[in-house]
């Protein structure tokens, strides 16, 4: 087969994200309500703020907004994680960042599979936050061994999915027919199954160790546990969820509402309590399992290491209230007070090196003589011959992720596990190093500067 018959990984990613959204809407109808709600809020924002609509149109973000989704999945073994890396590579998605959620009371460490090139992000920025269970954090040795044995027996990928991954790796791509076959087969890994593979008693023992342990170990597949549309106003979306009687999370995770959004803000509706059948000899026992939920996110400026250090400092300050963390009715006020120290205009954020920006000539700049276009960047910006648009944050925040997980796995914050970060162990299981997100953002900024001054 010649390479020109292959479809692009971006195309396969778009097919997969659309199929995933359709599947999850069927499995969790409330997710469909969430998508409709977010669409209405986004339309209201774009109508009320034409300057935002214009900026998004210029940057290419308007086209990606309606299709933008992120999902989350949790696996139990190194082999499962390494195969997921190969599966996502077919769709042009690479592992970016390392997240240790154990320090926040969730026994997993994670990465995010996503596209990394600007063109690919513009076409479809589909991401999957992928977590690997840390069995070593289960204190009961017998239960830990039992969980490991259960996970070792399961096969979460269909034979055809594995064959198509190998075919893509061997041939360098897939044609349209095989791309659709791949999507159909890959979806099976993410599909919900209400038949548990363990007894109700085992599920309860795993649940007692940690709700997330039970979620990962008790089923034949990992099932996607949420799918997230992007909103332009998460506060309005939160209010609309509450108005419609949707059991929304009490607190929006991440930074407070700002004139210049930064990083990531997230909220969700509480996880569904779903009927599950547990094997019991020749019969089956009925029980329930709580794992899948709906989430909304709002994305802002990607911060530099300097900006991220300030963010982490201020977030810790807001949460340090006699151990209250993000609980308590006064948390939004504490958060707002703490973040008063974080600049909230793009000119200052850019000058102080707190965020990443994409530089481009304006229409006036493109029409200007060559001598005018070769001035220093600051002069081009001052004369409105160039603009600096914020680079959107494409990644995740460990404290926010843990907060979302905990709110949907049982409510109150939990103590941190007495375990050290193990990035090396995660990358060994993954079979590859994760990309450094700061380097990726710096590269996007540097490339735009090179084109501007080239």
């Amino acid at each position: 087969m010649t390479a020109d018959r292959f479809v692009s990984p971006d195309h396969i990613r778009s097919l997969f994200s659309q199929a995933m959204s359709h599947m999850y809407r069927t499995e969790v109808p409330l997710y469909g309500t969430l998508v409709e709600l977010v669409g209405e809020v986004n339309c209201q924002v774009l109508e009320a703020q034409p300057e935002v609509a214009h900026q998004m149109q210029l940057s290419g973000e308007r086209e990606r907004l309606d299709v933008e989704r992120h999902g989350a999945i949790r696996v139990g073994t190194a082999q499962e994680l390494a195969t997921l890396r190969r599966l996502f590579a077919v769709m042009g998605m690479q592992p970016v960042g390392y997240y240790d959620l154990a320090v926040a009371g969730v026994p997993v460490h994670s990465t995010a599979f996503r596209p990394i090139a600007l063109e690919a992000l513009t076409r479809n920025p589909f991401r999957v936050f992928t977590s690997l269970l840390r069995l070593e954090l289960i204190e009961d040795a017998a239960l830990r061994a039992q969980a490991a044995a259960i996970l070792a027996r399961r096969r979460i990928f269909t034979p055809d999915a594995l064959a198509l991954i190998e075919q893509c790796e061997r041939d360098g791509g897939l044609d349209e027919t095989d791309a659709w076959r791949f999507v159909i087969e890959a979806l099976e890994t993410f599909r919900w199954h209400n038949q548990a593979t363990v007894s109700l008693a085992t599920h309860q023992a795993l649940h007692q160790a940690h709700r997330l342990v039970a979620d990962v170990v008790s089923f034949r597949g990992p099932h996607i546990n949420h799918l997230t549309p992007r909103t332009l106003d998460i506060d309005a979306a939160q209010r609309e969820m509450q108005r419609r009687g949707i059991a929304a999370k009490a607190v929006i995770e991440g930074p407070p509402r700002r004139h210049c959004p930064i990083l990531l803000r997230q909220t969700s509706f509480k996880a569904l309590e779903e009927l599950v059948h547990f094997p019991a000899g020749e019969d089956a026992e009925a029980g329930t399992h709580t794992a899948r939920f709906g989430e909304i996110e709002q994305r802002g400026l990607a911060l530099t290491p300097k900006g991220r250090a300030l963010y982490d400092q201020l977030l810790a300050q807001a949460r340090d209230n006699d151990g209250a963390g993000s609980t308590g009715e006064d948390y939004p006020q504490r958060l707002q007070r703490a973040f008063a120290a974080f600049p909230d205009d793009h000119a200052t954020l850019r000058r102080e090196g707190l965020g990443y920006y994409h530089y481009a000539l304006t229409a006036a700049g493109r029409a200007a003589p060559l001598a005018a276009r070769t001035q220093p960047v600051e002069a081009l910006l001052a004369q409105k011959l160039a603009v600096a648009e914020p680079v959107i944050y494409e990644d995740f925040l460990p404290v926010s992720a843990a907060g979302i997980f905990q709110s949907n796995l049982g409510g109150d914050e939990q103590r941190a596990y007495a375990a050290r970060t193990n990035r090396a162990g995660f990358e060994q299981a993954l079979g590859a190093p994760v990309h450094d997100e700061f380097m990726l953002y710096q590269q996007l900024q540097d490339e735009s500067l090179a084109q501007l001054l080239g």
Side-chain angles (χ1 to χ4, degrees), residues 1-181:
M1 178 180 294
T2 58
D4 59 2
R5 291 184 59 190
F6 295 148
V7 297
S8 72
D10 294 344
H11 177 65
I12 302 175
R13 184 173 66 258
S14 292
L15 293 178
F16 184 80
S17 64
Q18 292 164 14
M20 176 86 82
S21 186
H22 177 76
M23 181 186 77
Y24 200 66
R25 186 188 290 254
T26 301
E27 293 181 347
V28 183
L30 197 52
Y31 161 72
T33 302
L34 210 60
V35 170
E36 293 166 6
L37 181 157
V38 166
E40 292 171 7
V41 169
N42 288 347
C43 285
Q44 292 166 7
V45 170
L46 293 171
E47 289 175 4
Q49 302 179 46
E51 71 283 1
V52 172
H54 179 66
Q55 177 192 331
M56 293 187 71
Q57 197 69 45
L58 289 177
S59 65
E61 289 216 30
R62 182 64 190 92
E63 289 76 9
R64 81 178 224 180
L65 179 64
D66 293 336
V67 300
E68 187 163 350
R69 298 286 186 275
H70 98 245
I73 195 168
R74 306 158 186 158
V75 294
T77 70
Q79 183 181 25
E80 291 176 352
L81 180 67
T83 305
L84 273 180
R85 174 181 58 79
R86 297 169 59 212
L87 181 147
F88 286 127
V90 174
M91 297 183 270
M93 300 163 70
Q94 301 295 321
V96 179
Y98 171 77
Y99 305 89
D100 178 19
L101 274 61
V103 298
V106 182
V108 299
H109 46 184
S110 315
T111 191
F113 289 96
R114 67 168 178 87
I116 60 177
L118 179 60
E119 183 179 349
L121 286 166
T122 302
R123 179 157 183 182
N124 191 316
F126 183 58
R127 323 164 184 86
V128 180
F129 190 81
T130 303
S131 301
L132 175 64
L133 179 64
R134 298 184 68 176
L135 283 173
E136 73 273 15
L137 299 182
I138 299 177
E139 295 180 359
D140 185 324
L143 185 64
R144 185 167 63 246
Q146 183 182 15
I150 293 168
L151 290 170
R153 291 194 296 267
R154 75 177 186 179
R155 298 292 180 266
I156 69 172
F157 304 98
T158 70
D160 283 350
L162 294 173
L164 286 162
I165 292 170
E166 292 172 2
Q167 177 182 322
C168 183
E169 292 170 341
R170 181 187 67 244
D171 298 344
L174 299 175
D175 64 18
E176 182 76 23
T177 299
D178 285 337
W180 271 111
R181 288 180 55 224

Side-chain angles (χ1 to χ4, degrees), residues 260-277:
C260 299
I262 58 173
L263 297 176
L264 175 67
R265 302 181 72 205
Q266 296 172 291
T267 189
S268 67
F269 64 70
K270 297 297 180 68
L272 307 175
E273 186 169 341
E274 300 180 269
L275 181 66
V276 174
H277 300 285

Side-chain angles (χ1 to χ4, degrees), residues 332-370:
Q333 291 73 38
R334 282 188 276 131
L335 192 66
Q336 203 74 48
R337 286 195 301 269
F339 274 83
F342 205 111
D344 197 14
D345 66 277
H346 283 299
T348 304
L349 289 166
R350 190 180 61 81
R351 282 197 305 267
E352 294 189 5
L354 297 173
Y356 294 102
Y357 288 83
H358 182 273
Y359 296 85
L361 291 172
T362 61
R366 291 190 296 272
L370 179 61

Side-chain angles (χ1 to χ4, degrees), residues 242-300:
Q242 294 166 341
R243 190 188 71 79
R244 296 190 186 196
I246 299 173
K249 191 178 185 301
V251 173
I252 295 173
E253 296 286 348
R257 184 180 183 89
R258 294 165 43 87
H259 175 68
C260 299
I262 58 173
L263 297 176
L264 175 67
R265 302 181 72 205
Q266 296 172 291
T267 189
S268 67
F269 64 70
K270 297 297 180 68
L272 307 175
E273 186 169 341
E274 300 180 269
L275 181 66
V276 174
H277 300 285
F278 296 91
E282 297 181 359
D283 301 314
E285 294 181 274
T288 60
H289 180 73
T290 305
R292 299 191 300 162
F293 56 96
E295 186 180 74
I296 301 172
E297 64 185 16
Q298 180 176 356
R299 293 185 173 272

